[in-house]
Amino acid sequence: MNSEKNIITQVGITGVSGNIGKTLVEGLPNKYCIMGYDIMPCSSERKDFESIVVDLSDAKRVRGLFDGLDAVIHLAADPDPESPWHFERPVREACW
């Protein structure tokens, strides 16, 4: 977080290649530097956007992934209604 004014500037978005994630990236003001995370590649015309392809259910890969971010908007989900919720735990733990 920007320590001078406690302003959020570094934002992580999981599920960034999904419909809501893509819309959010394009809709957020340019005052935010955005780091996207998804199991699928994603791109944006924003100059302050980077994306990492990562399986968020892999606890070893998620550990430390959000270090340096001021906020994480967690939109990643498995669209299969029968899918287990096991991948939520690594993301929650990485945010703490």
Side-chain angles (χ1 to χ4, degrees):
M1 189 172 301
N2 183 332
S3 60
E4 287 183 27
K5 299 179 184 177
N6 293 327
I7 297 173
I8 293 174
T9 58
Q10 307 293 323
V11 177
I13 301 174
T14 66
V16 74
S17 70
N19 291 332
I20 297 171
K22 284 189 259 188
T23 301
L24 184 59
V25 167
E26 299 306 323
L28 281 175
N30 287 334
K31 67 180 181 178
Y32 299 107
C33 293
I34 300 171
M35 176 62 75
Y37 305 92
D38 206 300
I39 201 162
M40 305 285 291
C42 183
S43 62
S44 171
E45 294 184 18
R46 288 180 69 123
K47 293 179 182 176
D48 56 354
F49 175 80
E50 292 183 56
S51 180
I52 296 175
V53 175
V54 61
D55 180 353
L56 295 173
S57 68
D58 182 344
K60 290 180 184 176
R61 292 270 314 193
V62 173
R63 190 171 298 119
L65 196 62
F66 307 127
D67 290 355
L69 296 176
D70 301 321
V72 175
I73 301 170
H74 183 36
L75 300 174
D78 186 338
D80 180 357
E82 301 298 318
S83 68
W85 285 86
H86 70 276
F87 77 92
E88 293 295 324
R89 184 173 183 185
V91 173
R92 282 195 319 263
E93 288 176 356
C95 288
W96 295 107

